[in-house]
Amino acid sequence: MREIEYREAIREAIIEEMNRDHKVFLIGEDIGKYGGAFRAYKGLLDMYGEDRVINTPISEAAIIGAGIGAAVTGYRPVSELMFIDFAALAMDQIVNQAAKIRYMTGDNLRCPLVIRTQGGAGRGVAAQHSQSLEAWFYHVPGLKVVMPATPYDVKGLLKTAIRDDNVVMFIEHKMIYLLKGEVPEEEYTIPFGVADIKRQGSDVTIFAYSNMVYKSLEAAADLEKEGISAEVFDPRTLVPLDEEALLKSVKKTGRLVVVTEACERGSVASDIAAKVALKAFDWLDSPVKVVAGLNTPIPYNSTLEQASIPHKADIVNAVKEALGK
Amino acid sequence: MPKLTSKQKVDFLKTIITIRRFEEKTIQLYQVAKIWGYLHPYVGEEAIAAGTCAALEKRDYIISTHRGHGHSIAKGADLNRMMAELLGKSTGYCKGRGGSMHIADTELGMLGANGIVGGGIPISVGAGFSCKMEGASRVTVCYFSDGASNNGVFHEALNMASVFNLPVIYVCENNMYAISMSACESIACKDIASRASSYDIPGAIVDGSDPEAVYNITASAVKRARSGKGPSLIEAKTYRFGGHHPNDPAEYREKEEVEYYKTEKDPVINYKKKLIEEKVLSEDDIKNMEQQIVKAVEDSVKFAEESPEPQLDKFLEEVKSI
């Protein structure tokens, strides 16, 4: 099968959906001639014109508000926040408006809005451009949270997000835009709430999403050499969460290591650990382990930056601890 | 501007009185705890909703505020479903989920009241894009307050609406107080309308107690927006007769000031008087109109009280999918 870059898979999903439905449009900063900060929208302005590729002033709240207003009046906007860190400038629109509008108006207003953004550390862009803030949105009822790791997943999930009648936080990772992976030529979508076992295993379940899927797969490969069979469980969507598949995996392996790049305090990983401890305690052979970022603003210095987020070795160690080795 | 017809004038008065009587009833119901939570009556400001919505067509959109009952009524909302919502009933516009601050209806083009001051302003940009992309000369009216004009989103939205030439009419209801903070203590310029010059759009000031003046200025802004000339800002000078909510004695305002507006700038008193003087309506006509309105409001209370509560088991089922 052909292999394409993660950002190219995004672009393909957008093109297919814009061709399929004329109500789909893009709005955000530097998405015109510039093609988006990570070039995922390269050439789209020429293809669809200024009415459907709306290049905005630096006005994050209005970019989200524009998405909401267009969505409740029949369009399917994809609002872009260049960095997830900038969501802080638009939190009222995301949390108090978008997330609640359908429910609090008794289903009177539907808001099919996709908020595309990216997060994560690793590029030396320091504390205001490197955060993993998915827990903010995971916490708020009314938002779906999607965090695709592979080109295949990002394409299929983005198409589903655009077709969904609700607000979707679509969170990419800045370190994987250039990664290549298999993506079929023919059209497909991936439903929300369906996890993907990225690697089968029997001794331990590693729950990981976004960029941490890769680090977990590397860890699993190393562990195999030591005779440890690790299953890498990628939920793909945090909301809705494929809880059934997770519990099934944990019941099979009896051990769970939850990995997140985000800082540990109040993280999605802590919540997943709690969920499994509450619902599958009797099947666990050892306490759930959490591998997470340090509770720090992400530092600029490369050594410090790398020290603030989890790596393969941290995952390997956590698995061994879980296995009592 | 063409001369207003008698029918238009009668409709202004009818809308103004309907809002007034509806709001007075909600205050009564609030005092006996049949309506709870927060309630922000529109008493004193009725002519703005009446005048602006009269300049719109049914297909046009409005975006409202926490003090939004008047906007819904003027856009044609059903009093029964409004009152049912205020009583938290399943027959309400939001099935009892939203209450006073969240009434919305797609059919009416009512894109929602809002519990966050300024929260609706960015949404107007999207409604504006929608109107523009559709190419059918539909427009959006976005209401907000003097307080909201100090929020950062006011700048983001008006700038963007102007940059993209969106058909949005921004209507600032300057009732001079943001809860207790007075406009003159909190706004750097004398008139909010003057902020329009920052966005290179027209800014106009109008007496918010005069439905005809409000209608005329809105109609010209609507005409401008429909013909692709972009957004406008209208500042309607008005006054909230009561406190921020029914339990606010509003002691931060001078008695003389309140008295002045209640006696000189009451849209109900003034407009009744005007239509009688112009012989558009007789005192008896107005009495009949009042009676019908009072009955409609009473009926809405009856409807709301007799309506079922939302079902708890249904709620628990619904939340599983959120």
Side-chain angles (χ1 to χ4, degrees):
Chain A
M1 198 188 297
R2 69 175 181 148
E3 290 201 346
I4 62 171
E5 287 173 355
Y6 187 92
R7 65 177 177 185
E8 181 58 21
I10 293 166
R11 188 169 172 276
E12 279 191 3
I14 294 282
I15 290 172
E16 285 178 17
E17 292 308 297
M18 286 183 83
N19 290 345
R20 190 185 64 84
D21 183 352
H22 71 281
K23 296 283 190 185
V24 178
F25 73 93
L26 313 173
I27 182 164
E29 294 159 10
D30 296 302
I31 66 166
K33 279 182 195 156
Y34 197 65
F38 296 87
R39 304 297 191 275
Y41 289 169
K42 199 178 161 207
L44 298 190
L45 176 65
D46 290 338
M47 289 172 72
Y48 299 103
E50 287 178 350
D51 286 346
R52 294 183 74 193
V53 182
I54 301 170
N55 195 26
T56 67
I58 299 176
S59 301
E60 283 77 10
I63 289 166
I64 304 301
I68 299 167
V72 299
T73 54
Y75 284 80
R76 291 190 173 271
V78 179
S79 287
E80 178 170 322
L81 293 171
M82 195 188 280
F83 285 76
I84 199 168
D85 314 71
F86 306 169
L89 292 153
M91 278 309 253
D92 174 61
Q93 292 297 307
I94 300 171
V95 173
N96 288 323
Q97 311 297 336
K100 297 178 174 56
I101 202 163
R102 181 170 179 182
Y103 182 81
M104 79 182 171
T105 65
D107 211 7
N108 231 316
L109 299 175
R110 292 206 174 176
C111 192
L113 168 65
V114 178
I115 300 174
R116 253 198 79 230
T117 187
Q118 59 77 29
R123 279 182 61 143
V125 287
Q128 296 171 337
H129 290 76
S130 303
Q131 296 172 88
S132 294
L133 295 174
E134 60 273 16
W136 286 7
F137 308 103
Y138 177 82
H139 182 67
V140 175
L143 299 174
K144 295 186 178 180
V145 182
V146 181
M147 298 200 69
T150 65
Y152 178 83
D153 289 347
V154 81
K155 182 172 178 186
L157 290 166
L158 184 52
K159 285 167 70 73
T160 301
I162 291 170
R163 296 179 194 188
D164 198 287
D165 273 343
N166 299 287
V167 184
V168 179
M169 288 299 299
F170 198 88
I171 307 172
E172 298 151 16
H173 195 291
K174 63 173 66 63
M175 298 306 285
I176 58 181
Y177 281 114
L178 301 182
L179 279 187
K180 283 189 169 183
E182 288 189 344
V183 175
E185 303 267 1
E186 58 275 14
E187 191 183 5
Y188 66 96
T189 58
I190 299 172
F192 288 175
V194 179
D196 183 43
I197 309 286
K198 289 284 193 283
R199 181 190 171 107
Q200 295 279 346
S202 54
D203 296 332
V204 60
T205 300
I206 303 174
F207 176 103
Y209 54 92
S210 191
N211 196 27
M212 285 298 140
V213 167
Y214 296 101
K215 295 193 179 179
S216 299
L217 286 170
E218 288 167 21
D222 282 10
L223 288 161
E224 191 181 24
K225 291 174 199 156
E226 300 184 43
I228 297 166
S229 167
E231 177 147 301
V232 178
F233 179 97
D234 177 4
R236 301 196 287 197
T237 61
L238 298 176
V239 182
L241 180 72
D242 192 351
E243 205 174 291
E244 199 186 324
L246 176 61
L247 295 178
K248 199 175 148 202
S249 174
V250 171
K251 285 174 186 176
K252 181 177 80 173
T253 63
R255 293 174 184 87
L256 177 65
V257 174
V258 190
V259 186
T260 183
E261 184 177 319
C263 59
E264 178 272 336
R265 194 163 53 221
S267 65
V268 172
S270 303
D271 188 61
I272 298 294
K275 232 185 244 301
V276 171
L278 290 167
K279 295 188 178 178
F281 186 79
D282 291 343
W283 282 273
L284 288 170
D285 296 327
S286 66
V288 177
K289 308 289 286 181
V290 172
V291 178
L294 302 181
N295 294 320
T296 174
I298 304 289
Y300 164 65
N301 173 280
S302 213
T303 309
L304 303 186
E305 182 187 31
Q306 290 303 319
S308 68
I309 57 171
H311 295 282
K312 179 178 74 176
D314 302 309
I315 301 165
V316 167
N317 290 340
V319 167
K320 286 183 178 173
E321 280 173 26
L323 286 157
K325 292 186 176 175
Chain B
M1 196 57 66
K3 223 171 138 237
L4 290 164
T5 65
S6 296
K7 184 180 179 305
Q8 281 177 304
K9 294 181 180 183
V10 172
D11 284 346
F12 290 151
L13 185 65
K14 199 174 161 196
T15 305
I16 289 170
I17 297 176
T18 304
I19 298 170
R20 177 68 58 91
R21 298 298 165 244
F22 185 88
E23 292 295 58
E24 286 169 348
K25 181 54 74 178
T26 65
I27 295 166
Q28 283 174 21
L29 293 170
Y30 192 78
Q31 279 155 353
V32 295
K34 284 190 177 172
I35 295 173
W36 57 99
Y38 285 133
L39 183 78
H40 306 101
Y42 196 59
V43 174
E45 307 184 28
E46 298 91 342
I48 306 172
T52 47
C53 284
L56 299 178
E57 294 172 14
K58 194 180 172 208
R59 67 196 176 108
D60 293 324
Y61 298 123
I62 63 167
I63 291 170
S64 174
T65 70
H66 62 289
R67 204 175 297 287
H69 305 164
H71 307 138
S72 288
I73 292 172
K75 194 71 173 51
D78 174 29
L79 298 188
N80 290 0
R81 290 182 67 195
M82 282 187 68
M83 196 61 91
E85 187 56 37
L86 297 179
L87 267 66
K89 297 300 184 75
S90 62
T91 52
Y93 269 109
C94 312
K95 301 178 186 164
R97 296 175 184 175
S100 167
M101 293 188 284
H102 301 296
I103 290 172
D105 189 54
T106 314
E107 295 279 299
L108 292 172
M110 165 61 170
L111 303 184
N114 213 304
I116 306 293
V117 169
I121 307 180
I123 297 173
S124 71
V125 176
F129 272 121
S130 179
C131 294
K132 190 183 168 192
M133 286 189 281
E134 196 184 46
S137 67
R138 197 196 292 245
V139 302
T140 298
V141 164
C142 177
Y143 299 98
F144 59 99
S145 59
D146 45 296
S149 77
N150 287 337
N151 195 292
V153 294
F154 169 84
H155 168 67
E156 286 193 20
L158 270 78
N159 180 61
M160 216 189 270
S162 177
V163 164
F164 292 102
N165 211 35
L166 304 179
V168 184
I169 296 97
Y170 290 94
V171 177
C172 178
E173 301 178 312
N174 182 357
N175 66 18
M176 297 167 53
Y177 291 88
I179 305 188
S180 68
M181 171 54 89
S182 74
C184 54
E185 283 176 284
S186 59
I187 299 175
C189 48
K190 184 172 155 279
D191 298 308
I192 294 162
S194 71
R195 291 181 168 174
S197 64
S198 309
Y199 311 107
D200 196 23
I201 63 174
I205 296 168
V206 68
D207 178 350
S209 71
D210 177 353
E212 295 184 7
V214 173
Y215 169 83
N216 286 333
I217 193 75
T218 310
S220 55
V222 167
K223 194 176 167 199
R224 183 184 145 83
R226 286 204 209 286
S227 63
K229 290 181 184 151
S232 305
L233 171 61
I234 296 168
E235 178 184 1
K237 304 273 190 189
T238 185
Y239 201 74
R240 178 187 88 196
F241 284 9
H244 175 60
H245 53 69
N247 293 337
D248 169 19
E251 283 160 350
Y252 42 84
R253 305 192 301 194
E254 297 293 332
K255 275 199 180 101
E256 296 73 29
E257 180 187 286
V258 180
E259 256 337 281
Y260 166 78
Y261 284 98
K262 281 188 171 177
T263 51
E264 300 298 319
K265 291 287 181 186
D266 184 331
V268 175
I269 296 171
N270 291 356
Y271 205 57
K272 272 185 190 173
K273 202 170 146 223
K274 184 166 192 276
L275 294 199
I276 290 168
E277 277 168 11
E278 289 181 6
K279 297 194 171 21
V280 174
L281 289 173
S282 68
E283 292 206 22
D284 279 348
D285 292 335
I286 291 176
K287 219 173 260 171
N288 282 338
M289 182 191 276
E290 286 262 17
Q291 276 171 359
Q292 282 175 19
I293 290 168
V294 168
K295 184 173 182 308
V297 171
E298 288 301 336
D299 287 350
S300 76
V301 177
K302 191 165 179 284
F303 174 84
E305 286 185 329
E306 289 172 358
S307 287
E309 297 278 336
Q311 289 172 284
L312 189 57
D313 53 349
K314 211 174 151 200
F315 167 71
L316 296 174
E317 198 48 45
E318 282 163 353
V319 295
K320 287 183 192 161
S321 63
I322 295 171

